[in-house]
């Protein structure tokens, strides 16, 4: 049956177009050793697959970040809804095109074992993914690799109680492109 289809010039032409497109897409998007392409969009599940996590984890269970297998994908929504719970209203923003401010989950201290790989940074693969708002769906823009610069213990008043949280400043591997930077820092 396939040989018979190949005898049809129209079918053969379409097949060759598909093959050429596959090679084109590989050469221009997928040939890089790095699993992510700057400013492309990925869902949490896509990120976990591309990081080759051995056991599939539901992306929603990650929340804002997860450290596993010497990798740490960080997912940020830059413009949160006004009615969002204070417990998940973290301060995460660009300081400039190469510096990013980010906060851990609530009730975390610099002594938390969860944050030890970031605090005692030694080559952990930290990747930043951002979406402007939840209205954008489930995909996040890949912004690039991060390296921790500083961290400090801070406390936020949530529902009348001081909650510990760790504030990090990261350096981006590459400066954020102008239009992407403007998209996230302007309302």
């Amino acid at each position: 049956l396939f040989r018979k289809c190949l005898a049809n010039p129209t079918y053969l032409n379409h097949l060759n177009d598909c093959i050429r497109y596959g090679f084109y897409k590989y050469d221009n998007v997928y040939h890089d050793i790095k699993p992510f392409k700057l400013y492309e969009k990925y869902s949490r599940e896509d990120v976990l697959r591309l990081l080759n996590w051995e056991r599939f984890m539901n992306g929603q269970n990650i929340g804002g970040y997860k450290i596993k297998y010497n990798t740490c994908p960080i997912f940020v929504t830059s413009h949160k809804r006004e009615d969002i719970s204070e417990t998940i209203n973290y301060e995460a923003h660009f300081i400039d095109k190469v510096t990013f401010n980010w906060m851990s989950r609530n009730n975390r201290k610099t002594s938390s074992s969860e944050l030890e790989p970031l605090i005692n940074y030694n080559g952990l693969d930290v990747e930043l993914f951002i979406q402007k708002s939840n209205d954008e769906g489930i995909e996040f823009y890949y912004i690039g690799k991060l390296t921790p610069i500083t961290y400090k213990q801070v406390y936020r008043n949530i529902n009348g109680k001081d909650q510990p949280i760790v504030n990090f400043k990261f350096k981006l591997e590459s400066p954020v492109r102008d239009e992407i930077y403007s998209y996230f820092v302007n309302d």
Side-chain angles (χ1 to χ4, degrees):
L1 179 65
F2 184 62
R3 285 178 198 250
K4 187 175 180 181
C5 291
L6 289 176
N8 180 326
T10 303
Y11 180 85
L12 185 59
N13 191 32
H14 288 297
L15 179 63
N16 284 328
D17 280 348
C18 288
I19 292 169
R20 280 192 301 275
Y21 178 73
F23 283 118
Y24 168 82
K25 193 77 167 173
Y26 174 80
D27 288 341
N28 292 285
V29 177
Y30 300 113
H31 77 282
D32 202 342
I33 292 173
K34 297 176 185 177
F36 306 108
K37 186 166 177 64
L38 283 177
Y39 317 121
E40 291 292 319
K41 291 176 104 177
Y42 301 89
S43 70
R44 286 179 170 98
E45 285 82 7
D46 292 339
V47 169
L48 300 183
R49 282 187 203 101
L50 290 167
L51 288 174
N52 292 317
W53 282 22
E54 291 174 9
R55 188 178 145 270
F56 180 74
M57 173 182 272
N58 183 324
Q60 293 303 318
N61 292 339
I62 290 178
Y65 65 98
K66 180 77 173 172
I67 301 172
K68 196 171 186 174
Y69 307 120
N70 203 42
T71 62
C72 178
I74 295 176
F75 299 93
V76 171
T77 301
S78 64
H79 293 69
K80 296 176 178 64
R81 296 185 322 261
E82 289 183 20
D83 64 344
I84 193 170
S85 167
E86 277 300 308
T87 59
I88 58 172
N89 192 9
Y90 305 109
E91 292 180 37
H93 60 273
F94 288 102
I95 296 170
D96 55 41
K97 291 181 184 178
V98 293
T99 316
F100 192 76
N101 184 77
W102 176 78
M103 292 184 152
S104 68
R105 292 184 185 93
N106 285 326
N107 292 316
R108 301 302 190 272
K109 295 185 175 184
T110 56
S111 59
S112 296
S113 63
E114 172 184 297
L115 298 176
E116 187 274 331
L118 283 171
I119 290 171
N120 298 316
Y121 180 78
N122 189 15
L124 177 69
D125 187 16
V126 185
E127 309 279 2
L128 178 60
F129 300 86
I130 303 179
Q131 64 177 197
K132 190 164 188 173
S133 72
N134 286 326
D135 296 338
E136 291 186 343
I138 63 169
E139 293 185 322
F140 295 76
Y141 288 93
Y142 175 59
I143 304 302
K145 287 188 176 291
L146 300 175
T147 303
I149 302 170
T150 63
Y151 64 90
K152 67 180 177 179
Q153 185 70 62
V154 295
Y155 293 84
R156 296 188 327 149
N157 189 299
I158 299 174
N159 300 326
K161 290 178 145 183
D162 281 339
Q163 299 287 325
I165 196 165
V166 181
N167 183 218
F168 287 87
K169 292 205 180 8
F170 290 103
K171 180 180 181 195
L172 284 129
E173 183 176 65
S174 307
V176 179
R177 218 167 53 198
D178 289 342
E179 66 273 14
I180 297 292
Y181 182 78
S182 293
Y183 177 69
F184 285 112
V185 299
N186 298 324
D187 287 332

